[in-house]
Amino acid sequence: TLTTDSHIQSFWKEVGGMVQNGGSIDILSCNVAIDASGVSLVHLLDTIVDDADASHYISVNASSDKTGSAALGGNWFLGVGN
């Protein structure tokens, strides 16, 4: 899991390093942050991808509802994250 697997953490740290300081990682998937475990995931990813030693901060954002076309009941608002 993300909390225990150093390889997965390293992967996300690398992804964070590819994003410009002040940028964001937007998880475009339905219901990622619909409950407390999803919100915790977003916050954990945000902690992993930031590099305080290098003053490199990015935000991680995710949806708590349907993501996508309004005609299909979705939207593009990512309500959880920084």
Side-chain angles (χ1 to χ4, degrees):
T1 69
L2 185 58
T3 57
T4 60
D5 189 321
S6 63
H7 297 294
I8 295 173
Q9 293 171 6
S10 292
F11 167 81
W12 281 106
K13 195 68 131 161
E14 275 187 55
V15 170
M18 294 179 207
V19 177
Q20 182 177 8
N21 188 35
S24 66
I25 295 173
D26 295 335
I27 303 172
L28 299 172
S29 181
C30 299
N31 301 320
V32 169
I34 196 168
D35 59 18
S37 64
V39 172
S40 291
L41 170 67
V42 171
H43 292 302
L44 179 57
L45 280 173
D46 189 60
T47 301
I48 290 171
V49 299
D50 284 345
D51 186 352
D53 293 336
S55 296
H56 184 257
Y57 300 99
I58 61 175
S59 63
V60 176
N61 308 293
S63 179
S64 59
D65 57 10
K66 291 182 180 178
T67 303
S69 169
L72 298 174
N75 63 65
W76 295 108
F77 177 71
L78 302 177
V80 176
N82 296 325

Coordinates of all heavy atoms in Angstrom, one line a residue:
T1 N 0.8 -1.2 0.0 CA 0.0 0.0 0.0 C 0.9 1.2 0.0 O 2.1 1.2 0.3 CB -0.9 0.0 1.2 OG1 -0.1 0.2 2.4 CG2 -1.8 -1.2 1.3
L2 N 0.3 2.3 -0.2 CA 1.0 3.6 -0.3 C 1.7 3.9 1.0 O 2.8 4.5 1.0 CB 0.0 4.7 -0.7 CG 0.6 6.1 -0.9 CD1 1.7 6.1 -2.0 CD2 -0.5 7.1 -1.2
T3 N 1.1 3.6 2.1 CA 1.7 3.9 3.4 C 2.9 3.0 3.8 O 3.7 3.4 4.6 CB 0.6 3.7 4.6 OG1 0.1 2.4 4.5 CG2 -0.5 4.8 4.4
T4 N 3.0 1.8 3.1 CA 4.1 0.9 3.5 C 5.0 0.6 2.4 O 6.1 0.1 2.7 CB 3.5 -0.4 4.1 OG1 2.7 -1.0 3.1 CG2 2.6 -0.1 5.3
D5 N 4.7 0.8 1.2 CA 5.5 0.3 0.1 C 6.4 1.4 -0.4 O 6.0 2.4 -1.0 CB 4.7 -0.2 -1.1 CG 5.5 -0.9 -2.2 OD1 6.6 -0.4 -2.5 OD2 4.9 -1.8 -2.7
S6 N 7.7 1.3 -0.1 CA 8.7 2.4 -0.5 C 8.8 2.6 -2.0 O 9.1 3.7 -2.4 CB 10.1 2.1 0.1 OG 10.6 0.9 -0.4
H7 N 8.6 1.5 -2.8 CA 8.6 1.7 -4.2 C 7.5 2.6 -4.7 O 7.7 3.4 -5.6 CB 8.6 0.3 -4.9 CG 9.7 -0.6 -4.6 ND1 11.0 -0.3 -4.9 CD2 9.8 -1.7 -3.9 CE1 11.9 -1.2 -4.5 NE2 11.1 -2.1 -3.8
I8 N 6.3 2.4 -4.2 CA 5.2 3.2 -4.6 C 5.4 4.6 -4.1 O 5.1 5.6 -4.9 CB 3.8 2.6 -4.0 CG1 3.5 1.3 -4.6 CG2 2.7 3.6 -4.3 CD1 2.3 0.6 -4.0
Q9 N 5.9 4.8 -3.0 CA 6.2 6.1 -2.5 C 7.3 6.8 -3.4 O 7.1 8.0 -3.7 CB 6.7 6.1 -1.0 CG 5.6 5.6 -0.1 CD 6.1 5.4 1.3 OE1 7.3 5.6 1.6 NE2 5.3 4.9 2.2
S10 N 8.3 6.1 -3.8 CA 9.3 6.6 -4.6 C 8.7 7.0 -6.0 O 9.1 8.1 -6.5 CB 10.4 5.6 -4.9 OG 11.2 5.4 -3.7
F11 N 7.8 6.2 -6.5 CA 7.2 6.5 -7.8 C 6.5 7.9 -7.6 O 6.6 8.8 -8.5 CB 6.2 5.4 -8.2 CG 5.2 5.9 -9.3 CD1 5.7 5.8 -10.6 CD2 4.0 6.3 -9.0 CE1 4.8 6.3 -11.6 CE2 3.1 6.8 -10.0 CZ 3.5 6.7 -11.3
W12 N 5.7 8.1 -6.6 CA 4.9 9.3 -6.5 C 5.9 10.5 -6.2 O 5.6 11.6 -6.6 CB 3.8 9.2 -5.4 CG 2.7 8.5 -5.9 CD1 2.3 7.2 -5.7 CD2 1.7 9.0 -6.9 NE1 1.2 6.9 -6.4 CE2 0.8 7.9 -7.2 CE3 1.6 10.2 -7.5 CZ2 -0.2 8.1 -8.1 CZ3 0.5 10.4 -8.4 CH2 -0.4 9.3 -8.7
K13 N 6.9 10.2 -5.5 CA 7.9 11.3 -5.2 C 8.5 11.8 -6.6 O 8.7 12.9 -6.8 CB 9.0 10.8 -4.3 CG 9.9 11.8 -3.7 CD 9.1 12.6 -2.7 CE 9.8 12.8 -1.4 NZ 9.3 13.9 -0.7
E14 N 8.8 10.8 -7.5 CA 9.3 11.1 -8.8 C 8.3 11.9 -9.6 O 8.6 12.9 -10.3 CB 9.7 9.9 -9.6 CG 11.0 9.3 -9.3 CD 11.4 8.2 -10.3 OE1 11.3 8.4 -11.5 OE2 11.7 7.1 -9.8
V15 N 7.0 11.5 -9.5 CA 6.0 12.2 -10.2 C 5.9 13.7 -9.7 O 5.9 14.6 -10.5 CB 4.6 11.5 -10.0 CG1 3.5 12.4 -10.5 CG2 4.6 10.2 -10.8
G16 N 6.0 13.8 -8.4 CA 6.0 15.2 -7.8 C 7.1 16.0 -8.3 O 7.0 17.2 -8.5
G17 N 8.3 15.4 -8.5 CA 9.5 16.1 -9.0 C 9.3 16.6 -10.4 O 10.0 17.5 -10.8
M18 N 8.4 16.0 -11.1 CA 8.2 16.4 -12.5 C 7.2 17.5 -12.7 O 7.1 18.1 -13.7 CB 7.7 15.2 -13.3 CG 8.6 14.0 -13.5 SD 7.9 12.7 -14.4 CE 8.8 11.3 -13.8
V19 N 6.5 17.8 -11.6 CA 5.5 18.9 -11.6 C 6.2 20.2 -11.1 O 6.9 20.2 -10.1 CB 4.3 18.6 -10.7 CG1 3.3 19.7 -10.6 CG2 3.7 17.3 -11.1
Q20 N 5.9 21.3 -11.8 CA 6.5 22.6 -11.5 C 6.0 23.0 -10.1 O 4.9 22.8 -9.7 CB 6.0 23.6 -12.5 CG 6.6 25.0 -12.3 CD 6.2 25.9 -13.4 OE1 5.4 25.6 -14.3 NE2 6.8 27.1 -13.4
N21 N 6.9 23.6 -9.4 CA 6.6 24.1 -8.0 C 5.3 25.0 -8.1 O 5.2 25.8 -9.0 CB 7.8 25.0 -7.5 CG 7.6 25.4 -6.1 OD1 7.0 24.6 -5.3 ND2 8.0 26.6 -5.7
G22 N 4.4 24.7 -7.3 CA 3.1 25.4 -7.3 C 2.1 24.8 -8.2 O 0.9 25.2 -8.2
G23 N 2.5 23.7 -8.9 CA 1.5 23.0 -9.8 C 0.7 22.1 -9.0 O 0.6 22.1 -7.8
S24 N 0.0 21.2 -9.7 CA -0.9 20.3 -9.1 C -1.0 18.9 -9.8 O -0.7 18.9 -11.0 CB -2.3 20.8 -9.0 OG -2.9 21.0 -10.2
I25 N -1.3 17.9 -9.1 CA -1.6 16.6 -9.7 C -3.1 16.5 -9.5 O -3.6 16.5 -8.3 CB -0.9 15.5 -8.9 CG1 0.6 15.6 -9.2 CG2 -1.4 14.1 -9.4 CD1 1.5 14.6 -8.4
D26 N -3.9 16.4 -10.5 CA -5.3 16.2 -10.5 C -5.7 14.8 -10.8 O -5.4 14.3 -11.9 CB -6.0 17.2 -11.5 CG -5.8 18.6 -11.1 OD1 -5.5 18.9 -9.9 OD2 -5.8 19.5 -12.0
I27 N -6.3 14.1 -9.9 CA -6.8 12.7 -10.1 C -8.2 12.8 -10.7 O -9.1 13.1 -10.0 CB -6.7 12.0 -8.7 CG1 -5.3 12.0 -8.2 CG2 -7.2 10.5 -9.0 CD1 -5.2 11.4 -6.8
L28 N -8.2 12.6 -12.0 CA -9.5 12.7 -12.7 C -10.2 11.3 -12.8 O -10.2 10.6 -13.7 CB -9.3 13.2 -14.1 CG -8.6 14.6 -14.1 CD1 -8.2 15.0 -15.5 CD2 -9.6 15.6 -13.5
S29 N -10.8 11.0 -11.7 CA -11.5 9.7 -11.5 C -12.7 10.0 -10.6 O -12.6 10.7 -9.6 CB -10.6 8.7 -11.0 OG -11.2 7.4 -10.9
C30 N -13.8 9.3 -10.8 CA -15.0 9.4 -10.0 C -14.8 9.0 -8.6 O -14.2 7.9 -8.3 CB -16.2 8.6 -10.6 SG -16.7 9.1 -12.2
N31 N -15.3 9.7 -7.6 CA -15.5 9.3 -6.2 C -14.2 8.9 -5.5 O -14.3 8.2 -4.5 CB -16.5 8.2 -6.2 CG -17.8 8.5 -6.7 OD1 -18.3 9.7 -6.5 ND2 -18.5 7.6 -7.4
V32 N -13.1 9.4 -5.9 CA -11.8 9.1 -5.3 C -11.9 9.5 -3.8 O -11.5 8.7 -2.9 CB -10.6 9.7 -5.9 CG1 -9.3 9.6 -5.1 CG2 -10.4 9.1 -7.3
A33 N -12.4 10.7 -3.5 CA -12.4 11.2 -2.2 C -13.8 11.3 -1.6 O -14.2 12.2 -0.9 CB -11.7 12.6 -2.2
I34 N -14.6 10.3 -1.9 CA -16.0 10.3 -1.5 C -16.1 10.0 0.0 O -17.1 10.3 0.7 CB -16.8 9.3 -2.3 CG1 -18.3 9.5 -2.1 CG2 -16.4 7.8 -1.9 CD1 -19.2 8.8 -3.1
D35 N -15.1 9.4 0.6 CA -15.2 9.1 2.1 C -13.8 9.4 2.7 O -12.9 9.9 2.1 CB -15.5 7.6 2.3 CG -14.6 6.6 1.6 OD1 -13.4 7.0 1.3 OD2 -14.9 5.4 1.5
A36 N -13.7 9.1 4.0 CA -12.6 9.5 4.8 C -11.3 8.8 4.3 O -10.2 9.4 4.3 CB -12.8 9.1 6.3
S37 N -11.4 7.6 3.8 CA -10.2 6.9 3.3 C -9.7 7.6 2.0 O -8.5 7.7 1.8 CB -10.4 5.4 3.1 OG -11.4 5.2 2.1
G38 N -10.6 8.0 1.2 CA -10.2 8.7 0.0 C -9.6 10.0 0.3 O -8.6 10.4 -0.4
V39 N -10.1 10.8 1.2 CA -9.6 12.1 1.6 C -8.2 11.8 2.2 O -7.3 12.6 1.9 CB -10.5 12.8 2.6 CG1 -9.9 14.0 3.2 CG2 -11.8 13.1 1.9
S40 N -8.0 10.8 3.0 CA -6.7 10.5 3.6 C -5.7 10.2 2.5 O -4.5 10.6 2.6 CB -6.8 9.3 4.5 OG -7.5 9.7 5.7
L41 N -6.1 9.4 1.4 CA -5.3 9.1 0.3 C -4.8 10.4 -0.4 O -3.6 10.6 -0.6 CB -6.0 8.3 -0.7 CG -5.3 8.1 -2.1 CD1 -4.0 7.3 -1.9 CD2 -6.2 7.5 -3.1
V42 N -5.7 11.4 -0.6 CA -5.3 12.6 -1.2 C -4.3 13.4 -0.4 O -3.2 13.8 -0.9 CB -6.5 13.5 -1.5 CG1 -6.1 14.9 -2.0 CG2 -7.4 12.8 -2.5
H43 N -4.5 13.4 0.9 CA -3.6 14.1 1.8 C -2.3 13.4 1.9 O -1.2 14.1 2.0 CB -4.2 14.3 3.2 CG -5.4 15.3 3.2 ND1 -5.3 16.6 2.8 CD2 -6.7 15.1 3.5 CE1 -6.5 17.2 2.8 NE2 -7.3 16.3 3.3
L44 N -2.3 12.1 1.9 CA -1.0 11.3 2.0 C -0.2 11.5 0.7 O 1.0 11.8 0.8 CB -1.3 9.8 2.2 CG -0.1 8.9 2.2 CD1 0.9 9.3 3.3 CD2 -0.5 7.5 2.4
L45 N -0.8 11.5 -0.4 CA -0.1 11.8 -1.7 C 0.4 13.2 -1.7 O 1.6 13.4 -2.1 CB -1.1 11.6 -2.9 CG -1.3 10.2 -3.4 CD1 -2.4 10.2 -4.4 CD2 -0.1 9.6 -3.9
D46 N -0.3 14.1 -1.2 CA 0.2 15.5 -1.1 C 1.4 15.6 -0.3 O 2.4 16.3 -0.6 CB -0.9 16.4 -0.6 CG -0.6 17.9 -0.7 OD1 -0.4 18.3 -1.8 OD2 -0.5 18.5 0.4
T47 N 1.4 14.9 0.8 CA 2.6 14.9 1.7 C 3.8 14.2 1.0 O 4.9 14.7 1.1 CB 2.3 14.1 3.0 OG1 1.2 14.7 3.7 CG2 3.5 14.0 3.9
I48 N 3.6 13.1 0.3 CA 4.7 12.4 -0.4 C 5.3 13.2 -1.5 O 6.5 13.3 -1.7 CB 4.2 11.0 -0.9 CG1 3.9 10.1 0.3 CG2 5.2 10.4 -1.8 CD1 3.2 8.8 -0.1
V49 N 4.5 13.9 -2.3 CA 5.0 14.6 -3.5 C 5.6 15.9 -3.2 O 6.5 16.4 -4.0 CB 3.9 14.8 -4.6 CG1 3.4 13.4 -5.0 CG2 2.8 15.7 -4.1
D50 N 5.3 16.5 -2.0 CA 6.0 17.7 -1.6 C 7.5 17.4 -1.2 O 7.8 16.4 -0.7 CB 5.3 18.4 -0.4 CG 4.0 19.1 -0.9 OD1 3.8 19.3 -2.1 OD2 3.2 19.4 0.0
D51 N 8.3 18.4 -1.5 CA 9.7 18.3 -1.0 C 10.1 19.6 -0.3 O 10.5 20.6 -0.8 CB 10.6 18.1 -2.2 CG 12.1 17.9 -1.8 OD1 12.4 18.0 -0.6 OD2 12.9 17.5 -2.7
A52 N 9.8 19.6 1.0 CA 10.0 20.7 1.9 C 11.5 21.2 1.9 O 11.8 22.4 1.9 CB 9.6 20.5 3.3
D53 N 12.4 20.2 1.8 CA 13.8 20.6 1.8 C 14.2 21.4 0.6 O 15.1 22.3 0.7 CB 14.7 19.3 1.8 CG 14.6 18.5 3.1 OD1 14.2 19.1 4.1 OD2 14.8 17.3 3.0
A54 N 13.5 21.2 -0.5 CA 13.8 22.0 -1.7 C 12.8 23.1 -2.0 O 12.7 23.8 -3.0 CB 13.8 21.1 -3.0
S55 N 11.9 23.4 -0.9 CA 10.8 24.4 -1.1 C 10.0 24.1 -2.3 O 9.7 25.0 -3.1 CB 11.4 25.8 -1.1 OG 12.0 26.0 0.2
H56 N 9.7 22.8 -2.6 CA 8.9 22.4 -3.8 C 7.6 21.9 -3.3 O 7.5 20.8 -2.7 CB 9.7 21.4 -4.5 CG 9.1 21.0 -5.8 ND1 8.4 19.8 -5.9 CD2 9.0 21.6 -7.0 CE1 7.9 19.7 -7.2 NE2 8.3 20.7 -7.8
Y57 N 6.6 22.6 -3.5 CA 5.2 22.3 -3.1 C 4.3 22.2 -4.2 O 4.2 23.1 -5.0 CB 4.7 23.3 -2.0 CG 5.6 23.3 -0.8 CD1 6.6 24.3 -0.7 CD2 5.6 22.4 0.2 CE1 7.4 24.4 0.4 CE2 6.4 22.4 1.3 CZ 7.3 23.4 1.4 OH 8.2 23.5 2.5
I58 N 3.5 21.1 -4.3 CA 2.5 21.0 -5.3 C 1.2 20.5 -4.6 O 1.3 20.0 -3.5 CB 2.9 20.0 -6.4 CG1 3.2 18.6 -5.9 CG2 4.1 20.6 -7.2 CD1 3.5 17.7 -7.0
S59 N 0.1 20.6 -5.2 CA -1.1 20.1 -4.6 C -1.6 18.9 -5.3 O -1.4 18.7 -6.5 CB -2.2 21.2 -4.6 OG -2.5 21.6 -5.9
V60 N -2.3 18.1 -4.5 CA -3.0 16.9 -5.1 C -4.5 17.1 -4.9 O -4.9 17.5 -3.8 CB -2.5 15.6 -4.4 CG1 -3.3 14.4 -4.9 CG2 -1.0 15.4 -4.6
N61 N -5.3 16.9 -6.0 CA -6.7 17.2 -5.9 C -7.5 16.0 -6.5 O -7.0 15.3 -7.4 CB -7.0 18.4 -6.8 CG -6.1 19.6 -6.4 OD1 -6.3 20.1 -5.4 ND2 -5.2 20.0 -7.3
A62 N -8.7 15.8 -5.9 CA -9.5 14.6 -6.4 C -11.0 15.0 -6.2 O -11.3 15.9 -5.5 CB -9.1 13.4 -5.6
S63 N -11.8 14.2 -6.8 CA -13.2 14.4 -6.8 C -13.9 13.6 -5.8 O -13.5 12.5 -5.5 CB -13.8 14.0 -8.2 OG -15.2 14.2 -8.2
S64 N -15.0 14.1 -5.2 CA -15.8 13.4 -4.2 C -17.1 13.0 -4.8 O -18.0 12.5 -4.1 CB -16.0 14.2 -3.0 OG -16.6 15.4 -3.3
D65 N -17.2 13.1 -6.1 CA -18.5 12.7 -6.8 C -18.1 12.3 -8.3 O -17.0 12.0 -8.6 CB -19.5 13.9 -6.8 CG -18.9 15.2 -7.4 OD1 -17.8 15.2 -8.1 OD2 -19.6 16.2 -7.3
K66 N -19.1 12.3 -9.1 CA -18.9 11.8 -10.5 C -18.1 12.9 -11.3 O -18.3 14.1 -11.2 CB -20.2 11.6 -11.2 CG -21.0 10.4 -10.7 CD -22.3 10.2 -11.5 CE -23.1 9.1 -11.0 NZ -24.3 8.9 -11.8
T67 N -17.1 12.4 -12.0 CA -16.2 13.3 -12.7 C -16.5 13.0 -14.2 O -16.5 11.9 -14.7 CB -14.7 12.9 -12.4 OG1 -14.5 13.0 -11.0 CG2 -13.8 13.8 -13.2
G68 N -16.6 14.1 -14.9 CA -16.8 14.0 -16.4 C -17.9 14.9 -16.9 O -18.3 15.9 -16.3
S69 N -18.5 14.5 -18.0 CA -19.5 15.3 -18.7 C -20.7 15.5 -17.9 O -21.3 14.6 -17.2 CB -19.9 14.5 -20.0 OG -21.0 15.0 -20.5
A70 N -21.2 16.8 -17.9 CA -22.4 17.1 -17.2 C -23.6 16.4 -17.8 O -24.6 16.0 -17.0 CB -22.7 18.6 -17.2
A71 N -23.6 16.1 -19.1 CA -24.7 15.4 -19.7 C -24.8 13.9 -19.1 O -25.9 13.3 -19.2 CB -24.4 15.3 -21.2
L72 N -23.7 13.4 -18.5 CA -23.8 12.1 -18.0 C -23.8 12.2 -16.4 O -23.5 11.2 -15.8 CB -22.5 11.3 -18.4 CG -22.5 11.1 -19.9 CD1 -21.2 10.4 -20.3 CD2 -23.7 10.2 -20.4
G73 N -24.1 13.3 -15.9 CA -24.2 13.5 -14.4 C -22.9 13.8 -13.7 O -22.8 13.8 -12.5
G74 N -21.9 14.2 -14.4 CA -20.6 14.5 -13.8 C -20.2 16.0 -13.9 O -21.0 16.8 -14.3
N75 N -19.1 16.3 -13.4 CA -18.5 17.6 -13.4 C -17.0 17.5 -13.4 O -16.4 16.5 -13.2 CB -19.1 18.5 -12.3 CG -18.6 18.0 -11.0 OD1 -17.5 18.0 -10.6 ND2 -19.6 17.6 -10.2
W76 N -16.3 18.7 -13.6 CA -14.9 18.7 -13.6 C -14.4 19.4 -12.3 O -13.2 19.7 -12.2 CB -14.4 19.4 -14.8 CG -14.7 18.6 -16.0 CD1 -15.6 18.9 -17.0 CD2 -14.1 17.3 -16.4 NE1 -15.7 17.9 -17.9 CE2 -14.8 16.9 -17.6 CE3 -13.2 16.5 -15.9 CZ2 -14.5 15.7 -18.3 CZ3 -12.8 15.3 -16.6 CH2 -13.5 14.9 -17.7
F77 N -15.2 19.5 -11.3 CA -14.8 20.1 -10.0 C -14.1 19.1 -9.1 O -14.7 18.1 -8.8 CB -16.0 20.8 -9.3 CG -15.7 21.3 -8.0 CD1 -14.9 22.5 -7.9 CD2 -16.1 20.7 -6.8 CE1 -14.6 23.1 -6.7 CE2 -15.8 21.3 -5.6 CZ -15.0 22.4 -5.5
L78 N -12.9 19.4 -8.8 CA -12.2 18.5 -7.8 C -12.2 19.1 -6.5 O -11.4 20.0 -6.1 CB -10.7 18.3 -8.3 CG -10.6 17.7 -9.8 CD1 -9.2 17.6 -10.2 CD2 -11.3 16.4 -9.8
G79 N -13.1 18.7 -5.6 CA -13.4 19.3 -4.4 C -12.6 19.0 -3.2 O -12.7 19.6 -2.2
V80 N -11.7 18.1 -3.4 CA -10.8 17.7 -2.3 C -9.3 17.9 -2.7 O -8.9 17.5 -3.7 CB -11.0 16.2 -1.8 CG1 -10.0 15.8 -0.8 CG2 -12.4 16.0 -1.4
G81 N -8.6 18.6 -1.8 CA -7.2 18.9 -2.1 C -6.9 20.3 -1.8 O -7.7 21.0 -1.2
N82 N -5.7 20.7 -2.2 CA -5.2 22.1 -1.8 C -5.7 23.1 -2.8 O -5.4 23.1 -3.9 CB -3.7 22.1 -1.7 CG -3.3 21.2 -0.6 OD1 -4.0 21.1 0.4 ND2 -2.2 20.5 -0.7

